[in-house]
Amino acid sequence: MALFRHHTNDSQSPFDVDDAPAYVALNADIVPDEEEPTPPASRRRTGVSPRTGRPLRLASVPQPAPRTLAPNTAKAGTRQSRPATKSRTTDDDDPRPISGAAVAALLLMIVSFFIPGTIPAIVTAALGATIGLVTAIRIEPALRRGRAMALIAVVCSVLILFDHVPMLMLEYRIRTMDVDAVISRSATDDDRSQNEEPQPSVFEDSGTLTDEDESLELAITRAFAGPHDEDGERTVFVCVDARNTGSVTTSLSQLATADVYQNGVALPHPIFDGSQAESWGYEGNAHGMEILPDGTATLTFAFVLRDETTPVDVRLTAHDDMTIIESGFTIGADTAGTDLTRMPVADLPEPERTAQAELSQMHTVESYDGKPRAAVRVTGLRRGPDRYDGAHTVIASFDWSNQSQVPISLTDCCEMKAFRNGVEIQRTALVDPVEGYEQSSDQIDVLPGSGMTVTVAYEVPSWDGDYTVQLTQINDASVVHDEMAVTDPQ
């Protein structure tokens, strides 16, 4: 190879590789050799090809272009980093416009959350949910943005509806309740008191009582003298024709009560011996007799007269006290089966009202809202007859007057208790008739403004001791707390 290394004409053979390194390291830095100046054409010499014997100019041999590699600054075995990639496009760079309907749905949802009032909030939320749902379905993602915004508006609007709709139903239920009904006032009613109670609707002789799916057409058709009860008291029978015009099976007790009043006080129900009253069509459970839809029935009720002269006021009163079917009858002969004479309701005598002088001596019983409901006082505590088992009894007497706007009993207003030597004594029932004592008189209704005397019997181990009578109104406030001495029966 020495023959082809260096020459006198300064040319170099391509086979001169003795001075080249045996190998090139992988991490070696390869740099190009310095380019030698090209000699002038006049000084170029040609050689002879060993294979053809023809002259060969070295200048005609193409030289490869020098290769240049970037210096390797990484350590051996270190992984080269990936080339930087283009960053993701942000919303600010997104050329697609935002859907105006999606924005509107989101704004309506926000407004429905803060807007006062249940109905405006429901309307706004429903509108936002509708617009958002339509937008989410019809939006073209390639042209507009906002589908996610529309879906958020739909979900939030539906949650707001779930929160407000039950509240609206509750408000509607409260407004439609007769007990809390509000009477609208016209311009001609400005002189009326704002505290005026709603007045019931009164139908003479016949009418219809309705409560949702239950409805009864009722007519007071007859009143007649009945047989005497087991205590020998005179009775009156009242007949009511009922027709079920509703869609469900119902009874009179589901819609109303049947009462007869004399002088503002309801008449009690009699107890008959054997079947003496059944021949007159009387059934003790006429209130609860069920009637199928489109069915009819004649209901017969019995009452004990308080006196034999005062006309009777027959009333079928709805449970909300806002509908009354009323008839009046005069008392006739004391012969069973004799009809009582019907009279106009307007001609019924006014019930006797409690005098103001008596009210001033009574304690006031209030309702939950602080309005006067009754006036009551304890009038005495006397010895009663022994029971059938030999136990002693005492009888407490109360005078009271109805100060509300509807018929109520004393039990509806307050609770009566008696104590002996600081220990409560229990109520009892007296089977045999007792002068001045009326069984369950605390449960008898009284018309507004009227009053009566209530008697309650208690069982005691003996008549001596310290007795206290207490009346507590419905809010557990004590109205009367009187210490009483037991007196002998008059």
Side-chain angles (χ1 to χ4, degrees):
M1 296 301 295
L3 296 177
F4 300 95
R5 178 177 296 179
H6 294 287
H7 307 277
T8 56
N9 58 355
D10 297 329
S11 62
Q12 185 175 359
S13 172
F15 302 103
D16 298 338
V17 293
D18 291 343
D19 295 333
Y23 65 93
V24 178
L26 293 178
N27 59 348
D29 295 334
I30 302 175
V31 296
D33 295 332
E34 295 183 0
E35 296 183 0
E36 296 183 1
T38 303
S42 58
R43 298 183 58 185
R44 295 178 185 172
R45 299 181 65 179
T46 61
V48 179
S49 174
R51 196 168 68 179
T52 60
R54 293 183 181 180
L56 177 64
R57 294 182 61 89
L58 295 177
S60 62
V61 178
Q63 299 294 325
R67 298 180 60 186
T68 304
L69 298 179
N72 186 6
T73 58
K75 294 182 179 180
T78 303
R79 194 174 180 180
Q80 294 185 359
S81 61
R82 293 183 179 180
T85 58
K86 186 177 180 180
S87 61
R88 297 180 61 182
T89 304
T90 62
D91 291 342
D92 296 337
D93 299 332
D94 197 333
R96 297 176 301 165
I98 299 177
S99 173
V103 176
L106 187 63
L107 291 177
L108 286 173
M109 180 274 295
I110 296 174
V111 171
S112 66
F113 184 79
F114 293 101
I115 191 171
T118 304
I119 295 179
I122 291 177
V123 173
T124 308
L127 185 59
T130 303
I131 296 177
L133 182 61
V134 174
T135 302
I137 294 175
R138 301 184 60 181
I139 194 171
E140 297 182 6
L143 300 179
R144 291 182 180 275
R145 293 179 291 160
R147 171 171 290 178
M149 184 184 302
L151 292 176
I152 292 174
V154 171
V155 174
C156 295
S157 298
V158 170
L159 292 177
I160 293 174
L161 288 174
F162 280 141
D163 180 60
H164 283 76
V165 169
M167 188 180 300
L168 178 63
M169 296 176 65
L170 178 61
E171 292 178 358
Y172 176 77
R173 180 65 179 172
I174 293 176
R175 291 178 182 178
T176 55
M177 290 176 63
D178 292 329
V179 69
D180 294 328
V182 179
I183 301 177
S184 60
R185 300 177 59 193
S186 61
T188 58
D189 297 332
D190 291 340
D191 56 338
R192 296 183 181 179
S193 172
Q194 294 183 354
N195 296 325
E196 183 179 0
E197 295 288 341
Q199 298 300 315
S201 300
V202 180
F203 300 92
E204 189 164 353
D205 298 334
S206 63
T208 301
L209 300 180
T210 303
D211 183 11
E212 296 182 354
D213 296 334
E214 298 175 308
S215 180
L216 283 178
E217 287 184 359
L218 301 171
I220 303 173
T221 57
R222 184 188 179 199
F224 60 93
H228 290 197
D229 66 1
E230 65 176 7
D231 295 329
E233 299 292 338
R234 186 176 175 182
T235 65
V236 59
F237 282 26
V238 176
C239 297
V240 177
D241 286 348
R243 179 174 180 270
N244 187 350
T245 57
S247 59
V248 297
T249 301
T250 188
S251 63
L252 180 62
S253 61
Q254 297 291 329
L255 298 174
T257 58
D259 299 291
V260 176
Y261 294 88
Q262 271 189 312
N263 200 24
V265 180
L267 303 183
H269 295 284
I271 299 177
F272 294 102
D273 289 331
S275 59
Q276 59 177 334
E278 294 181 0
S279 60
W280 301 102
Y282 171 72
E283 293 186 5
N285 191 32
H287 286 88
M289 183 183 299
E290 293 190 340
I291 306 174
L292 295 173
D294 295 328
T296 60
T298 298
L299 311 178
T300 304
F301 306 94
F303 303 89
V304 179
L305 292 175
R306 293 189 176 276
D307 63 72
E308 299 183 3
T309 58
T310 305
V312 293
D313 181 4
V314 181
R315 296 190 178 195
L316 305 176
T317 307
H319 291 315
D320 59 3
D321 296 312
M322 297 308 298
T323 305
I324 300 174
I325 302 173
E326 187 176 10
S327 294
F329 297 91
T330 59
I331 303 299
D334 186 12
T335 303
T338 303
D339 286 341
L340 276 61
T341 304
R342 188 184 297 271
M343 63 182 300
V345 173
D347 294 340
L348 287 170
E350 285 290 331
E352 183 180 350
R353 302 181 68 87
T354 306
Q356 188 63 38
E358 295 183 20
L359 292 176
S360 62
Q361 300 176 5
M362 297 182 178
H363 302 274
T364 300
V365 179
E366 297 180 346
S367 59
Y368 282 114
D369 55 4
K371 295 181 180 180
R373 189 168 174 83
V376 62
R377 66 178 175 181
V378 183
T379 56
L381 184 67
R382 61 186 175 91
R383 291 173 55 180
D386 291 345
R387 290 194 325 182
Y388 64 91
D389 57 356
H392 300 311
T393 63
V394 294
I395 299 175
S397 301
F398 308 87
D399 286 346
W400 83 284
S401 176
N402 182 1
Q403 300 298 298
S404 70
Q405 302 297 319
V406 297
I408 57 174
S409 65
L410 184 58
T411 303
D412 296 330
C413 304
C414 56
E415 182 180 12
M416 293 149 287
K417 294 182 179 181
F419 300 84
R420 178 182 177 273
N421 296 332
V423 180
E424 182 179 359
I425 53 180
Q426 301 301 316
R427 294 182 58 160
T428 187
L430 302 180
V431 179
D432 297 329
V434 179
E435 183 69 25
Y437 171 79
E438 184 175 357
Q439 178 73 22
S440 303
S441 57
D442 58 323
Q443 301 177 20
I444 294 177
D445 285 349
V446 175
L447 295 178
S450 299
M452 68 173 294
T453 298
V454 169
T455 53
V456 180
Y458 298 91
E459 177 186 352
V460 294
S462 64
W463 288 305
D464 59 352
D466 298 327
Y467 286 87
T468 302
V469 178
Q470 176 178 294
L471 279 81
T472 305
Q473 61 187 17
I474 54 179
N475 60 357
D476 295 331
S478 178
V479 178
V480 178
H481 191 84
D482 293 344
E483 295 181 358
M484 309 290 295
V486 178
T487 61
D488 294 332
Q490 298 179 352

